[in-house]
Every structure is written in C-alpha cells, then in structure tokens.
Amino acid sequence: DEIPQAFTEAMLAGDGADVLVNTETLREAMRIYTVKQAFVDLRDAFGDILLPCVQSAYVDPNGALYSVPLNMYLSMPVTLETTLPSDTALTLDVMYDLAERAEQNGDFLFTPNGTPGFGSFTDNFFAAAVPSFAKEETGECFYDSEEFGKLLTFLETVRDRIAGDEMAFTYQYGDYSLESDVLLDALRSGEVTFLDFPFCTIDAYAILKQLYGGNTFALHGYPSQDKEIVRFRSDIDISLNAASKVQLGAAQFIAYLLSDTIQLFSADTVLPVTTSAIEALLATPTFVYTPDTMERLDTSYSAEILELVYPEALRITYDEDDLAAVRTLLYNTETTVNIDTTVQTIINEEMSAYRAGVRSLAQAQKIMQSRLWIYINE
C-alpha cells in the first residue's frame, strides 16, 4: 500500500523514477497511470519485436503500449483432439456441452493446477468469460442476461467437476511435476477432459507429448462467449516515465532488457517475450529428461556427459507439427492478464447475497448490471 502512495507523490512532484519496474502485486494499483499518459507509449519502439501473444495482453484498446513484460508464462486448457479438435473454438456453449457429457460419463472436467502465480481453473475461466458480456467501446453490458446467469450457475458448480489432488499438475522453479502417475492414464483415456496446463518454458510442449503418450492433443484457450482466451502472466513489467529527462537512455536500457542476451539468459525457467529469442530456442528443439521424473537434463549437462552418465535419458524433439502448434500458441492466440478487480469484487459481492438466500439469481444479476454499468461508463 505504501509504494503506490509514494509513487503518486513522486509523480505529482515531478520526481518520479525514469523507469518503473512493476511487479504483479503492484500492477493493479498502478493501472490508473497507464490510462493517464504518465508513461511513454512504447508501441513504435518495441511493438514489432514482441510476440503477438504479448501484444494481445498489453496493448490497450486505443493501441497504446504503456508497459512491456520481461518474461512470461501462459496458462490454458489442453484436451484430446478427439474430444475437441484444435480447429474448433472452446466457447461457453461448447464448454457446457462438454461438461454435460463428462457428467453423464462420470468423468472429471478439469485437473487441479497447483502452479504458483496462476489462479484456479475457476479464476481463469472467470477472467476469460466475464469481460465478453460488456462492450467497453459503447459502455453496454449484459450482466442481467440469461446467458450470464447460465455462466454464473456453471461457475457455482465448477469445484465439483475438478479431479482430486492426486491428479494435480504443477510447475515451479523450472520443474514440471505430477502428484502421482494416475493423471497419465486419466488424460490418455479422456477420464479427465481438460488438463489445466501452465506453459512456462519452451519445452512445455514436450512435457505434454509425454503426458498424452501417443494420443494427439489440442491446446485451447479458456472459453468466452465467442472465442478462446489464453491467460498471460509475467513476473516483471517495465514502463518509461513520460516526465523523464533521459528518455533516450531509459529506452536503450529497456531495449537491452529485451535483447536476446537477456531474454535467453533465463529461458530454462521462463518464456522469452520477443520473437527473436523464441525463434532462437526453436532452432534446436531437442530436450533431454530423466525418464521417470521428467527432470530436464540438457540445461545442466553437456551432450558428452549426457551420453556417458545418462544413456537411458528420454529425448524429445519437436517435429514440424509440434513447431507449428507452439508457434500458433505464441503468434495467433488472444491473451489476457487479469480481470478488473472492481468488476470481480462487484460480482462476488452480489453472488454472496445469492448464496446466502437473500436474493434470487435474477435479482443478484439485476443489481450487478446496475453497478457494473455505472462503473464501466465512468
């Protein structure tokens, strides 16, 4: 709480830092400055070097780019191609149909995701779906509609559709891990419809190939009314103060942070945000793991050591289809960072009254519509 206040006072006094390093916990508190032109629009300087999925998350509705991330993690649902082909969008209606099918078959709809920094499937679902019921450009919103009521009802039951912790899949500090191998059979048989997957490093697709075995799988986004949306997270964003007296030098510093030298430095634990760094990683897409725990070996040992000490190591190489799938994710998907916390708070408050039996769902929606219309139009 103290940092945004100190930043505000410094900005008003003309003493703000030239470059703001903005961690995720401060992003919402600082959001007001990105719409008040306190920062330099970086689109012309850096827009072309950033991956399209980064621009999707960070370019504002007016086309401005007031901050850039220094690394990224993506989160998405993955399912068997036979369950939902990659060329079929996971919309809300499709999700409802898949949920009904899973319930009839006695299958789980989702896996738990224990990855730090990402929300639960409910949070990711909420962040993708809720904004599709409003049009910021016109101020219209449809939170009292029958379709939004259907979404709220579905979200109330999501926790009952998630598999147990023995099927949890996590990513932390550069390592993917399973709570148990029960998940392997569940994914390959379709007993679990969606793997809630954190795509955190360039070898993430290789991990998926191992999880699904010989089965063909498809990457999807979280559903909204008419499209899929992949969740985006970064550890650090950086912005350039519009009042800086040394803008050229500050911009050169940001350019250095986006260079391949820096972007590739931590590529074994995070995803770079630039096209050139990603393409450098995809130029030699062979990954080596221990067969049982899927611990990555090629980032720690030379090829000679691997041959000598780990002759039974598992080697996975991306073929052309794999490379195409990874590039489609990074180049052609729509992403979002976080839903507006005020919107989330208003909906949660009115749903609490509904759960307590104080209001019907229709009454709760009517109040949501009124409060959110005022907020959006302000």
Side-chain angles (χ1 to χ4, degrees):
D1 293 338
E2 296 166 353
I3 294 175
Q5 180 180 345
F7 177 76
T8 300
E9 292 172 355
M11 291 291 281
L12 292 174
D15 297 327
D18 298 294
V19 170
L20 174 68
V21 178
N22 187 3
T23 61
E24 185 177 22
T25 54
L26 294 176
R27 192 171 292 135
E28 182 64 23
M30 299 301 190
R31 187 171 66 87
I32 184 173
Y33 294 101
T34 69
V35 297
K36 296 297 183 182
Q37 298 183 339
F39 298 143
V40 174
D41 183 355
L42 302 172
R43 183 74 183 269
D44 290 340
F46 302 114
D48 289 343
I49 71 173
L50 296 173
L51 288 161
C53 68
V54 178
Q55 296 189 48
S56 174
Y58 280 76
V59 172
D60 76 3
N62 297 316
L65 180 68
Y66 290 113
S67 64
V68 294
L70 299 188
N71 55 36
M72 68 174 181
Y73 311 85
L74 303 175
S75 179
M76 72 213 69
V78 183
T79 192
L80 290 170
E81 183 84 21
T82 52
T83 301
L84 185 65
S86 55
D87 59 358
T88 301
L90 178 61
T91 62
L92 288 177
D93 285 339
V94 171
M95 174 61 82
Y96 300 149
D97 288 342
L98 289 172
E100 184 177 351
R101 188 193 311 174
E103 188 168 354
Q104 290 173 350
N105 296 336
D107 298 330
F108 292 108
L109 196 56
F110 318 118
T111 58
N113 182 351
T115 301
F118 276 123
S120 64
F121 195 96
T122 310
D123 296 330
N124 294 329
F125 198 131
F126 190 95
V130 168
S132 68
F133 288 87
K135 297 180 180 179
E136 288 191 12
E137 62 274 13
T138 64
E140 294 177 281
C141 53
F142 309 94
Y143 296 110
D144 57 350
S145 66
E146 181 179 346
E147 281 302 305
F148 191 68
K150 191 174 182 179
L151 170 63
L152 293 174
T153 301
F154 181 79
L155 287 171
E156 288 294 297
T157 66
V158 161
R159 290 178 183 83
D160 299 331
R161 304 171 186 267
I162 298 177
D165 287 340
E166 72 278 2
M167 294 190 187
F169 189 77
T170 64
Y171 171 86
Q172 187 170 16
Y173 307 123
D175 293 321
Y176 288 96
S177 63
L178 294 168
E179 293 299 320
S180 75
D181 59 7
V182 175
L183 181 59
L184 299 176
D185 290 336
L187 291 175
R188 296 169 185 179
S189 67
E191 181 186 347
V192 171
T193 306
F194 290 106
L195 170 66
D196 192 20
F197 185 72
F199 203 107
C200 300
T201 54
I202 200 63
D203 67 313
Y205 200 84
I207 299 291
L208 284 171
K209 285 168 69 75
Q210 182 68 7
L211 288 175
Y212 280 94
N215 296 289
T216 305
F217 55 89
L219 308 180
H220 288 278
Y222 297 97
S224 68
Q225 287 196 90
D226 57 356
K227 58 189 173 184
E228 303 175 351
I229 300 174
V230 172
R231 290 300 306 278
F232 185 108
R233 183 174 72 83
S234 69
D235 292 325
I236 294 175
D237 296 347
I238 196 160
S239 302
L240 175 54
N241 190 344
S244 169
K245 303 292 193 298
V246 290
Q247 282 192 18
L248 178 58
Q252 289 173 335
F253 173 66
I254 297 174
Y256 174 64
L257 295 176
L258 295 174
S259 69
D260 283 359
T261 300
I262 298 300
Q263 287 292 300
L264 293 173
F265 181 74
S266 301
D268 57 332
T269 56
V270 294
L271 278 167
V273 297
T274 63
T275 301
S276 61
I278 287 293
E279 290 302 327
L281 293 173
L282 292 179
T284 55
T286 295
F287 313 100
V288 185
Y289 305 92
T290 55
D292 46 358
T293 61
M294 293 299 288
E295 177 187 354
R296 183 90 179 267
L297 296 174
D298 54 295
T299 55
S300 303
Y301 303 103
S302 66
E304 293 77 14
I305 294 294
L306 288 175
E307 289 293 339
L308 181 64
V309 181
Y310 296 97
E312 303 300 321
L314 176 66
R315 287 167 172 79
I316 299 177
T317 299
Y318 289 168
D319 59 25
E320 289 304 315
D321 289 340
D322 301 331
L323 292 171
V326 172
R327 288 192 174 103
T328 295
L329 171 67
L330 299 177
Y331 288 54
N332 300 327
T333 57
E334 183 168 340
T335 56
T336 184
V337 184
N338 288 311
I339 190 173
D340 188 315
T341 54
T342 301
V343 172
Q344 192 165 15
T345 298
I346 290 172
I347 292 174
N348 287 340
E349 286 176 355
E350 300 310 323
M351 285 304 290
S352 294
Y354 162 70
R355 294 187 198 102
V358 176
R359 300 187 185 98
S360 68
L361 181 60
Q363 291 170 331
Q365 284 186 248
K366 185 176 181 179
I367 297 174
M368 283 180 211
Q369 173 72 6
S370 176
R371 294 179 65 185
L372 289 170
W373 186 90
I374 292 171
Y375 174 69
I376 291 170
N377 283 276
E378 284 179 343

